[in-house]
Amino acid sequence: NCAAIPEAMLEAELFGHEKGSFTGAVARREGRFAKATGGTLFLDEIGELSPAVQVKLLQMLQEGEYEPVGGDTQKADVRIVAATNRDLKREVAEGRFREDLYYRLNVIAVTAPPLRARREDVPLLVDHFLGFYSSKNGKPRLTASTAALQRLVDYAWPGNVRELENVMERAVVLCRGEQLGLDDLPEH
């Protein structure tokens, strides 16, 4: 998750670093590209990359080479799968994302419509999250009442699937019965 790692550490996380290359680098560390060689690396929130890291990523995609912080050039054969919640075309137009990197990443684009446009998926996701969070919280497997399920299907889900998951986790924790009812859902 590119957004979850502080910008100052992201380069070392992706490309690795050598011992002594910066304060706190007490040992050599392989980066994600070295670990993923021969496989696939998923970069979530790719739209959050700083310009400096974008340049290094572009070099890796074009040349199959990268430089660990404080180290020598290394090769990696890695397939990249990237995701973002940003409109990268707009980010390119506004100068916040490199156009050449955009085209290197955008070989096969998979666009998932927001949950509000896929309401038929809500019951399946509700069932999945109820099962997962019931098990995680040591509760019997909960089901959703017809009224609660209809309310969940009708909601617009501005926070998308993550919001639905959060609502389901909260509901499982607070539910006192064997079936999730309207009273177990947040007021909104």
Side-chain angles (χ1 to χ4, degrees), residues 152-187:
L152 293 166
V153 169
D154 291 343
Y155 182 65
W157 299 109
N160 230 328
V161 177
R162 288 180 179 151
E163 181 183 10
L164 175 60
E165 181 177 11
N166 177 275
V167 166
M168 291 297 89
E169 181 177 18
R170 176 190 181 277
V172 167
V173 169
L174 297 177
C175 184
R176 298 285 179 226
E178 293 180 10
Q179 190 174 54
L180 190 73
L182 288 173
D183 292 343
D184 299 309
L185 299 176
E187 209 170 288

Side-chain angles (χ1 to χ4, degrees), residues 52-73:
V53 177
Q54 287 182 39
V55 169
K56 289 196 81 161
L57 179 57
L58 179 62
Q59 177 188 2
M60 172 56 218
L61 293 173
Q62 286 183 170
E63 309 297 329
E65 298 178 344
Y66 65 94
E67 290 181 12
V69 178
D72 296 324
T73 301

Side-chain angles (χ1 to χ4, degrees), residues 14-15 33 41 43 46 49 52-62 65 80 97 101 104-105:
L14 291 175
F15 304 107
F33 279 97
L41 180 61
L43 298 175
I46 193 90
L49 291 179
V53 177
Q54 287 182 39
V55 169
K56 289 196 81 161
L57 179 57
L58 179 62
Q59 177 188 2
M60 172 56 218
L61 293 173
Q62 286 183 170
E65 298 178 344
I80 301 294
F97 200 83
L101 178 57
R104 283 284 178 192
L105 290 169

Side-chain angles (χ1 to χ4, degrees), residues 144-156:
S145 71
T146 303
L149 190 57
Q150 190 59 53
R151 174 85 43 92
L152 293 166
V153 169
D154 291 343
Y155 182 65

Side-chain angles (χ1 to χ4, degrees), residues 54-122:
Q54 287 182 39
V55 169
K56 289 196 81 161
L57 179 57
L58 179 62
Q59 177 188 2
M60 172 56 218
L61 293 173
Q62 286 183 170
E63 309 297 329
E65 298 178 344
Y66 65 94
E67 290 181 12
V69 178
D72 296 324
T73 301
Q74 303 207 5
K75 291 196 175 290
D77 177 18
V78 178
R79 176 180 37 240
I80 301 294
V81 175
T84 185
N85 63 358
R86 292 185 180 213
D87 179 345
L88 287 184
K89 284 184 182 177
R90 185 173 357 145
E91 295 294 306
V92 167
E94 295 175 3
R96 290 189 294 266
F97 200 83
R98 293 182 62 100
E99 185 174 24
D100 46 2
L101 178 57
Y102 171 77
Y103 287 113
R104 283 284 178 192
L105 290 169
N106 195 25
V107 175
I108 298 173
V110 179
T111 303
L115 189 54
R116 68 184 161 275
R118 309 179 275 129
R119 293 183 191 266
E120 68 277 5
D121 289 351
V122 172

